[in-house]
């Protein structure tokens, strides 16, 4: 039965088959997998994988070849193709993508946290830390904590609120989010829960930025951060800002978090103690992104707390923030499942490193002035210019912009449509009297469009 396949064996078999784009013979799989199994055992394992739908075959008898049933993650999810995964992350992705019934149920492993030694057993290598520091440099490193974040606060409120909410399935667009945050206007076709989620992010980000000198990795900060992010969203209002007293499960995972309140509190305090000792801000940020969701200390909203908490150390050191721009939801989720089920950080780490590079490119003055042009904007330069020109020249009201963008995006390959919409929305939010001329619109047209958008 397929349930009897060990996860490591299955991963080795699937990896071996992927090495042969035209399909692998039994002998090729035996050689490439490195597994010490009998020939008949190999055949049974492959039969089980075929029954579970993970591989298919072509040919017969001597020409029989085995193929992975589905293309790899990047092929099925074009939005993630920019993320280059390490070999270790690729192997982990193969494991966590396997059917849930083939994965072994696990509980909380306290050794995963207890064995971590701050400033000794770093998750990020010296080279990775060095690269992150270069990306995050804002020329504000020696100024008071929070100086840089305050300078870009209006932009950060929109970007981080939208992207973090998007990773929770929120369907507000970037423009919807800007309108809600800037003027309190709720989108007509969205739920009250989605609006509340975004407004909670706004409050939580302001808390982190405005109180940069007073907050840190302590109970006061994390409990209040949860209170702000979960406000008016939990079935039990008393659970907001309080450690969990009830058991919880993780959707699409075989991981079961701790259920005993005393143990949750013990590990929560230990996590904060270790986090507060970490000297490098990037290691500190990634540590909390790993261990807070793993512990699941709150009834809900744990991932949101971890994403915003990861910015605490960056903000204190005036580094470019991490706003999760363009992060693919599914790849991020799979990275967390790797942590939950195997205590393996490799996939989540690759997502973190890529996400920070994207965010730094958005915010860092150095990056903006010296970085290479965005290939996507270069490729669709004329389409972007034409779309924005029409929006301004015809003074399209906000409620008509998204349908128009969706219609224009249909002309592009499916993998580029959402990116086009995001780029145009970002450009519209960045327009002012000193840069609108590049879209060849008259001052009178720009003024009329601005007046329409202020309504």
């Amino acid at each position: 039965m397929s349930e009897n396949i060990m996860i490591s064996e299955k991963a080795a078999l699937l990896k071996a088959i992927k090495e042969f784009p035209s399909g692998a013979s039994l002998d090729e799989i035996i050689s490439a997998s490195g597994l010490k199994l009998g020939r008949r055992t190999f055949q049974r394992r492959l039969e089980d994988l075929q029954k579970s739908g993970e591989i298919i075959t072509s040919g017969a008898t001597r020409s029989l070849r085995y193929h992975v049933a589905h293309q790899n993650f990047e092929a099925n999810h074009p939005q993630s193709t920019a993320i280059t995964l390490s070999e270790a992350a690729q192997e982990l992705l193969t494991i966590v993508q396997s059917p849930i019934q083939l994965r072994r149920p696990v509980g909380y492993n306290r050794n995963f946290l207890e064995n971590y030694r701050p400033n000794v057993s770093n998750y990020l290598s010296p080279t990775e830390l060095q690269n992150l520091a270069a990306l995050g440099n804002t020329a504000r490193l020696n100024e008071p904590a929070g100086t840089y974040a305050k300078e870009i606060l209006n932009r950060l409120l929109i970007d981080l609120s939208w992207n973090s909410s998007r990773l929770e399935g929120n369907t507000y667009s970037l423009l919807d989010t800007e309108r809600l945050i800037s003027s309190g206007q709720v989108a007509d076709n969205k739920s009250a829960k989605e609006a509340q989620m975004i407004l909670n992010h706004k409050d939580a980000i302001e808390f982190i930025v405005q109180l940069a000198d007073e907050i840190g990795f302590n109970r006061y900060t994390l409990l209040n951060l949860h209170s702000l992010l979960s406000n008016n969203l939990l079935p039990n209002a008393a659970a907001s800002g309080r450690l969990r007293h009830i058991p919880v499960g993780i959707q699409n995972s075989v991981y079961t978090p701790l259920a005993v309140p005393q143990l949750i509190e013990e590990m929560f305090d230990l996590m904060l103690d270790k986090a507060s000792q970490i000297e490098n801000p990037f290691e500190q940020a990634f540590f909390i992104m790993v261990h807070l969701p793993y512990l699941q200390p709150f009834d809900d909203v744990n991932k949101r707390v971890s994403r915003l908490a990861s910015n605490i150390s960056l903000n204190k050191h005036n580094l470019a923030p991490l706003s999760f721009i363009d992060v693919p939801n599914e790849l991020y989720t799979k990275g967390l499942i790797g942590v939950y089920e195997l205590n393996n950080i490799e996939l989540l780490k690759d997502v973190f490193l890529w996400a920070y590079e994207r965010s730094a490119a958005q915010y860092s003055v150095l990056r903006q002035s010296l970085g290479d042009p965005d290939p996507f904007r270069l490729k669709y330069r004329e389409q972007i210019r034409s779309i924005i020109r029409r929006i301004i020249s015809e003074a399209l009201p906000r409620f008509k912009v998204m349908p128009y963008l969706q219609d224009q995006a249909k002309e592009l390959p499916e993998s580029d449509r959402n990116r086009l919409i995001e780029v145009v929305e970002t450009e519209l939010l960045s327009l002012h009297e000193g840069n609108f001329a590049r879209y060849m619109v008259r001052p009178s047209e720009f003024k009329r469009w601005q007046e329409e958008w202020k309504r």
Side-chain angles (χ1 to χ4, degrees):
M1 297 295 291
S2 59
E3 288 80 0
N4 293 329
I5 302 178
M6 296 297 293
I7 289 178
S8 58
E9 288 182 3
K10 182 183 66 176
L13 290 170
L14 291 173
K15 181 184 177 184
I17 297 172
K18 284 183 178 180
E19 292 180 9
F20 300 88
S22 300
S25 68
L26 177 59
D27 289 334
E28 288 171 332
I29 295 171
I30 292 173
S31 176
S33 70
L35 295 175
K36 304 301 182 183
L37 304 173
R39 188 177 186 85
R40 181 55 191 146
T41 303
F42 268 104
Q43 291 174 325
R44 287 198 299 268
R45 295 290 188 263
L46 293 171
E47 288 170 3
D48 287 338
L49 287 174
Q50 188 175 358
K51 290 176 183 177
S52 67
E54 294 176 82
I55 64 172
I56 57 177
T57 61
S58 63
T61 59
R62 292 185 179 180
S63 61
L64 180 67
R65 304 192 75 81
Y66 298 87
H67 312 259
V68 175
H70 306 287
Q71 295 177 341
N72 62 32
F73 184 92
E74 288 76 13
N76 281 323
H77 302 80
Q79 75 275 20
S80 71
T81 54
I83 301 183
T84 301
L85 300 181
S86 65
E87 184 176 347
Q90 287 277 12
E91 292 178 0
L92 178 59
L93 180 59
T94 300
I95 295 172
V96 298
Q97 281 182 308
S98 63
I100 195 168
Q101 64 270 21
L102 300 182
R103 308 205 300 267
R104 181 178 299 170
V106 293
Y108 183 84
N109 174 20
R110 59 185 299 152
N111 291 333
F112 181 40
L113 175 60
E114 291 177 337
N115 290 342
Y116 181 91
R117 299 169 60 196
N119 310 311
V120 177
S121 51
N122 292 340
Y123 289 149
L124 303 174
S125 71
T127 299
E128 289 165 342
L129 293 173
Q130 185 177 4
N131 291 339
L132 289 167
L135 289 168
N137 185 1
T138 64
R140 296 287 187 275
L141 301 183
N142 296 321
E143 298 191 19
T147 298
Y148 182 68
K150 290 174 183 176
E151 291 177 356
I152 61 166
L153 181 58
N154 290 338
R155 184 72 242 171
L156 178 61
L157 286 173
I158 296 168
D159 288 338
L160 183 50
S161 295
W162 179 58
N163 281 294
S164 181
S165 297
R166 174 182 59 80
L167 289 172
E168 297 298 323
N170 195 302
T171 62
Y172 261 65
S173 70
L174 185 60
L175 290 179
D176 288 335
T177 302
E178 187 272 340
R179 193 177 188 184
L180 177 63
I181 288 177
S182 300
S183 57
Q185 297 186 45
V186 178
D188 294 334
N189 59 339
K190 308 297 181 183
S191 69
K193 181 178 180 180
E194 290 182 305
Q196 184 72 63
M197 183 187 296
I198 290 171
L199 292 173
N200 287 355
H201 274 85
K202 174 181 179 291
D203 292 342
I205 295 165
E206 289 177 333
F207 168 68
I208 291 174
V209 173
Q210 301 297 348
L211 299 178
D213 286 332
E214 301 177 28
I215 64 173
F217 291 97
N218 51 54
R219 289 177 70 95
Y220 159 74
T221 301
L222 272 294
L223 294 179
N224 279 278
L225 191 57
H226 180 261
S227 176
L228 291 166
L229 285 167
S230 63
N231 180 36
N232 201 26
L233 290 178
L234 300 180
N236 178 10
S240 186
R242 186 189 70 185
L243 294 183
R244 178 164 54 86
H245 293 168
I246 61 174
V248 295
I250 304 294
Q251 188 176 11
N252 299 320
S253 176
V254 294
Y255 168 62
T256 302
L258 286 173
V260 180
Q262 293 86 346
L263 291 178
I264 294 171
E265 183 152 353
E266 177 189 348
M267 301 313 293
F268 182 71
D269 287 339
L270 180 61
M271 176 189 70
L272 293 179
D273 179 58
K274 288 180 180 286
S276 65
Q277 294 180 51
I278 298 173
E279 296 174 357
N280 185 280
F282 296 104
E283 177 72 16
Q284 203 172 38
F286 185 61
F287 175 88
I288 209 69
M289 270 186 63
V290 169
H291 282 282
L292 198 146
Y294 182 57
L295 179 58
Q296 294 282 307
F298 305 109
D299 287 16
D300 198 0
V301 193
N302 291 282
K303 296 194 300 294
R304 273 165 267 180
V305 174
S306 73
R307 289 193 291 270
L308 266 67
S310 68
N311 275 284
I312 292 174
S313 55
L314 304 177
N315 181 41
K316 279 183 171 293
H317 290 80
N318 286 312
L319 294 161
L322 174 58
S323 54
F324 299 90
I325 296 169
D326 296 335
V327 171
N329 191 333
E330 189 167 353
L331 200 56
Y332 169 71
T333 301
K334 296 296 185 186
L336 284 173
I337 291 177
V339 172
Y340 296 155
E341 299 182 6
L342 299 167
N343 298 158
N344 187 319
I345 65 167
E346 295 302 325
L347 180 53
L348 187 62
K349 181 168 80 167
D350 280 0
V351 173
F352 172 80
L353 294 173
W354 182 88
Y356 192 74
E357 182 175 0
R358 294 288 297 167
S359 294
Q362 178 91 346
Y363 299 113
S364 172
V365 174
L366 180 63
R367 182 70 177 178
Q368 288 177 353
S369 62
L370 300 180
D372 294 330
D374 183 343
F376 183 92
R377 290 172 184 259
L378 197 61
K379 179 179 180 181
Y380 292 110
R381 180 171 177 268
E382 291 305 320
Q383 291 92 328
I384 293 170
R385 177 182 291 182
S386 175
I387 290 169
I388 294 177
R389 182 188 300 131
R390 185 191 165 191
I391 291 172
I392 297 175
S393 63
E394 298 184 13
L396 289 183
R398 291 175 187 257
F399 72 90
K400 288 186 178 181
V401 169
M402 182 52 67
Y404 171 61
L405 291 180
Q406 291 172 337
D407 182 65
Q408 293 298 304
K410 291 178 183 178
E411 304 297 322
L412 275 61
E414 186 174 356
S415 60
D416 289 342
R417 293 173 187 172
N418 289 336
R419 175 71 174 138
L420 176 75
I421 292 172
E422 181 187 344
V423 166
V424 172
E425 289 182 320
T426 301
E427 281 295 299
L428 291 173
L429 294 177
S430 303
L431 286 177
H432 54 78
E433 63 179 8
N435 65 9
F436 72 84
R438 62 191 177 202
Y439 295 108
M440 305 301 174
V441 294
R442 299 184 179 90
S444 59
E445 292 175 324
F446 182 72
K447 183 178 180 181
R448 184 162 62 95
W449 171 75
Q450 278 191 314
E451 291 173 350
E452 173 61 41
W453 275 53
K454 290 178 182 178
R455 294 180 183 178

